[in-house]
Amino acid sequence: MNGKTAKYGKSNRAVRTPGGLSLRLDVRAVVVVALLLLLALAASVLLIGTGDFDIPAVDVLKTLVGQSNAGQEFIVNELRLPRVLVGLLVGGALGVGGALFQAISRNPLGSPDVLGLGQGATAGALIMIVLFSGSSAQVTVGALAGGLVTGLAIYLLAWKRGVHGYRLVLVGIGVSAIVTAVNGYLMTRADIVDASRAVVWMTGSLNGRDWDQVWPLLALCAVLVPLVLTNGRALRMMEMGDDVSYALGVRVERVRALLMVAAVLLTAAATAAAGPVSFVALTAPQLARRLTRSPGPNLLPSLCMGAALLVGADFISQRVFGAEQLPVGVVTGVLGGVYLLWLLVTERKAGRI
């Protein structure tokens, strides 16, 4: 056993069930997931209590269990809770989507931000806003369709007897540049009202989110996240290379295509719900891996990290800047940009880029 394997193996524990089943439990990863969930829930409670009418955390918890007056129930359950739930779901979906793309491409830069899926969803939304003056529901459908079409285009262009790491990233960067140019052209076609509406959407924001955004995103995550987690073992094997995976009985291209479709759907749905919130999909998997110190895609830690990051960024956007509240996409863009620079410097020093 080499040093790296020994380091990862220290926190692993074998667990046997009464039925005779045995599984390996990474204690450190379990602790990290629990702490991230606690952090995300604590930030959510504080965020629900934040606004023009501040509500103490204790009163927020009482309201959530139905022990409050009608005024607080309306503020919490109708105005603020849907926004926080959308933030948790969007952050979790972006975290899982980013972890999938990085694992499939075996590249820390292989995230939806870099591959152009966010730009593709933006193009779909801009088409509905600029060309058809669409409603909020139509803009959401357009963003979802744009993300799916972009993901399909990247997959087909990157296919050459399979889809492999750097080819996927390079094709994604090229597609991203093309779609960004299309988005710029669409903005030049917009009148002042549509352009203002488009700019607000393109920034990425949780303002005005309600239950209409919660339920579709929750249903999609309830279907796709368990599907992704059940394929986590095959994904870990695929990180060792296609030949080894085939030898171990993994249907590589079938699993890769399934997980890419799931990643595209999660990313497109998150973008449709909150706009192109930048860098969460890039940073959440990397931070989760550094905390767990565990090999593999770290899907569940990435989900929890993404949710914690987004609600934390939304709390910063509302609290730190006073009356000048910033869209959450601005905060994640600044923090994520700093992290990306650090990641590039680290990868260069390690000789990987």
Side-chain angles (χ1 to χ4, degrees):
M1 178 183 291
N2 59 35
K4 184 176 181 180
T5 305
K7 179 181 73 173
Y8 288 138
K10 288 181 180 178
S11 64
N12 288 336
R13 296 290 184 272
V15 178
R16 294 187 179 277
T17 65
L21 297 177
S22 177
L23 56 90
R24 181 173 295 175
L25 184 67
D26 189 330
V27 177
R28 184 184 178 94
V30 172
V31 172
V32 168
V33 167
L35 291 177
L36 287 174
L37 281 175
L38 183 62
L39 177 62
L41 293 176
S44 298
V45 171
L46 292 176
L47 191 56
I48 291 173
T50 298
D52 294 333
F53 179 73
D54 287 340
I55 302 175
V58 174
D59 290 341
V60 170
L61 294 175
K62 289 181 179 179
T63 304
L64 291 175
V65 296
Q67 299 178 0
S68 184
N69 57 59
Q72 285 189 351
E73 286 185 1
F74 175 76
I75 293 173
V76 170
N77 295 329
E78 298 300 326
L79 299 181
R80 297 180 183 174
L81 181 59
R83 173 187 178 130
V84 171
L85 290 177
V86 170
L88 290 171
L89 291 169
V90 168
L94 291 176
V96 174
L100 287 172
F101 275 112
Q102 290 176 23
I104 291 171
S105 64
R106 296 197 288 272
N107 190 317
L109 297 178
S111 78
D113 301 302
V114 178
L115 298 180
L117 293 177
Q119 290 86 339
T122 301
L126 286 179
I127 288 173
M128 299 306 299
I129 293 173
V130 174
L131 300 184
F132 300 103
S133 297
S135 64
S136 297
Q138 291 171 329
V139 171
T140 300
V141 172
L144 186 60
L148 292 174
V149 170
T150 304
L152 178 61
I154 293 171
Y155 185 84
L156 293 177
L157 291 173
W159 176 272
K160 185 179 180 182
R161 294 190 297 275
V163 176
H164 303 285
Y166 279 100
R167 187 187 303 129
L168 179 67
V169 174
L170 291 174
V171 169
I173 292 173
V175 171
S176 175
I178 294 172
V179 178
T180 299
V182 172
N183 292 343
Y185 169 74
L186 289 171
M187 288 296 292
T188 64
R189 293 283 307 274
D191 58 35
I192 187 65
V193 175
D194 288 339
S196 300
R197 181 184 173 196
V199 168
V200 171
W201 191 91
M202 290 169 63
T203 304
S205 175
L206 296 174
N207 291 337
R209 298 305 182 264
D210 57 26
W211 292 104
D212 290 338
Q213 283 83 37
V214 172
W215 297 121
L217 189 56
L218 179 61
L220 188 69
C221 289
V223 172
L224 292 180
V225 170
L227 175 65
V228 168
L229 294 178
T230 56
N231 284 276
R233 181 173 178 271
L235 188 59
R236 285 194 297 272
M237 293 180 181
M238 288 166 57
E239 289 190 330
M240 296 185 291
D242 289 359
D243 293 337
V244 175
S245 302
Y246 278 121
L248 293 173
V250 178
R251 297 182 178 180
V252 174
E253 287 306 326
R254 180 179 177 180
V255 173
R256 183 179 287 134
L258 175 66
L259 293 180
M260 282 193 66
V261 169
V264 170
L265 283 171
L266 287 169
T267 304
T271 305
V277 179
S278 58
F279 287 114
V280 174
L282 174 68
T283 57
Q286 294 298 313
L287 293 176
R289 179 174 294 209
R290 281 166 170 76
L291 288 177
T292 62
R293 298 180 185 175
S294 175
N298 286 281
L299 296 174
L300 190 57
S302 297
L303 182 151
C304 298
M305 177 62 76
L309 280 177
L310 195 54
V311 294
D314 197 28
F315 181 80
I316 292 172
S317 71
Q318 294 191 52
R319 280 291 190 182
V320 173
F321 300 97
E324 298 296 329
Q325 294 185 9
L326 295 178
V328 69
V330 175
V331 178
T332 61
V334 172
L335 298 178
V338 173
Y339 177 81
L340 178 59
L341 291 175
W342 176 83
L343 180 62
L344 291 171
V345 171
T346 302
E347 293 292 307
R348 181 175 178 81
K349 286 182 178 179
R352 290 189 285 267
I353 58 174

